[in-house]
Amino acid sequence: MQSKWIAAQGIGLLAGFHLAGYIIGCIHQTTLKSEIQSLTMIRLGLFVCVATFFAEPIITTMGWQILWRLLAGWGAAHLVTGLPGFATRKLEGIERRRSTAFIFAGGGISALIAAVLVSAISSPSALNSWILTGVISILFGLPIISSVNAGINEELAGYRDRAKADENLARPTSSSDFSWTAGLYFLAITTFLFGAAQVSVMTYFPIFLSTKFNVTSAVSASFFSMFGLGYTVGAIAAGFMPKKWSTDSILISSALIGVVGSFLTVFGINVYIATIGCFLFAFWNGSMIGLIVARLREVVGQQATRKAWAIFSFLLSIGYILYTFASSYLYKYSIAIILWVGFALTAAQLLTMLIAAMEFKKQSDHPFA
């Protein structure tokens, strides 16, 4: 925007098309029947996401930017929904939860890196920002593409081995289908509310600080770096909870932290209390996603996790988009209203998580009811 590539109102438009691409990618991932199809799309999605950083600066027209935001969203969806299950497929129990936590911690780490990069080099050259970020994405993408290629080779070898086996021998079959239970329905509602509640602090925190406490945009942006830190700490902490603690109890604790963080952000009497609230809010964000994936795996099984998470990620995105549109309307009246509604959404998310936990417990106590 500073380089006059886009107008201020174009930011929301590009974000909307990025989310639209993400939703398309989530839907696409649910239609994939085999692991090799998923891995192929993950590889293609990674290529598209990296290419975005080099392609977008070539032409600065809005149409060109929209095209690559749409493609980047599609690619990101395949990475987010497909990689966690693939990367942890050979792990069990607590090791799988910890590995999933580290995977999602990458979201917070990238936010921290981006904050440093943008503040350091965006002023002299926006083009340099894009290129440097693209180079870093290549470095981060190399181990991913190596693992995905190895996974594709494993799947191809498995197909060849099965083709050579006697077709008359009974072989165990697996399915990516799963049954919806009351607990899963409430967990889906929880995920939808989680997506909607993210908008308040994630999008408007720097503006809120500037408006409420009369600090400069540079100061509010520096405080917002706590979001990246909180997200990273939350994602990792969720994976290192004691094994005796159930995933449901950790999910409820995370949701409660989100409520406290949202409350402190909205009603904090000074910028430091509000920033602590932002950190706790981000902690909830970082921990919640990995925990939802872990709970889905426990409920639907390993084979159906990828499809289930793609559906739940789709619901999360819908929640985020709907409140993004609603918040743009509320912004005309008061930015504080946006955060108040966000606080209400975090409280509602805690309530639905409690109900989901009770339904899961009821199901485990009476599995044949």
Side-chain angles (χ1 to χ4, degrees):
M1 190 172 69
Q2 291 177 348
S3 299
K4 303 187 185 309
W5 289 7
I6 59 172
Q9 59 268 28
I11 296 176
L13 182 64
L14 291 178
F17 274 96
H18 183 83
L19 286 170
Y22 188 91
I23 290 174
I24 294 170
C26 289
I27 296 173
H28 187 194
Q29 185 68 216
T30 64
T31 65
L32 303 179
K33 302 299 183 183
S34 67
E35 190 68 19
I36 195 167
Q37 289 178 335
S38 175
L39 292 174
T40 302
M41 289 300 103
I42 289 172
R43 183 167 62 181
L44 181 58
L46 178 61
F47 173 80
V48 168
C49 288
V50 172
T52 297
F53 293 107
F54 300 96
E56 282 200 49
I58 294 176
I59 304 175
T60 59
T61 61
M62 180 58 72
W64 181 259
Q65 302 290 321
I66 287 174
L67 170 65
W68 284 99
R69 284 297 90 210
L70 192 67
L71 290 173
W74 174 86
H78 282 289
L79 292 172
V80 172
T81 59
L83 270 181
F86 163 69
T88 61
R89 67 195 187 285
K90 296 181 180 179
L91 301 177
E92 297 294 338
I94 192 66
E95 291 301 320
R96 177 179 287 166
R97 182 196 287 178
R98 288 175 178 174
S99 297
T100 302
F102 276 110
I103 291 171
F104 285 108
I109 295 172
S110 65
L112 286 172
I113 294 175
V116 173
L117 287 177
V118 170
S119 62
I121 64 176
S122 63
S123 294
S125 173
L127 179 62
N128 288 345
S129 298
W130 279 91
I131 293 176
L132 181 57
T133 307
V135 171
I136 292 176
S137 70
I138 291 176
L139 296 177
F140 286 166
L142 289 175
I144 297 176
I145 200 68
S146 177
S147 298
V148 170
N149 286 337
I152 291 176
N153 291 333
E154 288 180 14
E155 290 295 317
L156 289 174
Y159 285 144
R160 286 192 292 266
D161 291 340
R162 287 192 291 271
K164 294 177 182 178
D166 186 353
E167 294 183 359
N168 294 323
L169 292 177
R171 293 193 304 267
T173 58
S174 59
S175 173
S176 61
D177 294 330
F178 60 93
S179 299
W180 284 88
T181 63
L184 270 180
Y185 278 119
F186 277 104
L187 186 61
I189 297 172
T190 298
T191 305
F192 171 83
L193 292 172
F194 171 60
Q198 289 182 30
V199 175
S200 58
V201 174
M202 188 180 293
T203 304
Y204 292 98
F205 181 74
I207 304 174
F208 177 71
L209 286 187
S210 299
T211 303
K212 183 175 181 179
F213 300 109
N214 198 29
V215 298
T216 65
S217 58
V219 171
S220 63
S222 65
F223 278 115
F224 189 62
S225 64
M226 292 298 291
F227 189 94
L229 179 62
Y231 191 103
T232 304
V233 173
I236 295 175
F240 284 84
M241 293 294 105
K243 190 176 181 179
K244 63 181 179 181
W245 292 6
S246 69
T247 305
D248 280 342
S249 64
I250 304 174
L251 275 164
I252 292 170
S253 300
S254 174
L256 182 59
I257 291 173
V259 172
V260 174
S262 184
F263 179 85
L264 292 178
T265 301
V266 177
F267 300 105
I269 59 175
N270 57 53
V271 67
Y272 300 104
I273 293 178
T275 302
I276 292 173
C278 176
F279 176 87
L280 294 176
F281 187 93
F283 183 100
W284 163 62
N285 269 247
S287 61
M288 202 71 183
I289 294 181
L291 290 170
I292 290 173
V293 174
R295 193 63 180 110
L296 286 174
R297 186 182 292 114
E298 294 171 356
V299 175
V300 306
Q302 174 63 24
Q303 292 296 327
T305 299
R306 176 175 59 81
K307 181 177 180 179
W309 171 233
I311 294 172
F312 275 61
S313 187
F314 167 79
L315 292 172
L316 189 155
S317 302
I318 291 296
Y320 190 95
I321 289 174
L322 289 178
Y323 192 50
T324 296
F325 285 130
S327 64
S328 63
Y329 173 78
L330 295 175
Y331 186 77
K332 299 176 183 178
Y333 299 95
S334 170
I335 190 172
I337 295 177
I338 297 174
L339 275 80
W340 293 343
V341 174
F343 171 67
L345 289 170
T346 57
Q349 195 251 359
L350 172 60
L351 177 61
T352 55
M353 187 60 240
L354 286 167
I355 297 174
M358 289 188 292
E359 291 295 336
F360 284 136
K361 187 177 187 305
K362 188 188 302 182
Q363 182 181 341
S364 63
D365 290 342
H366 307 284
F368 303 108

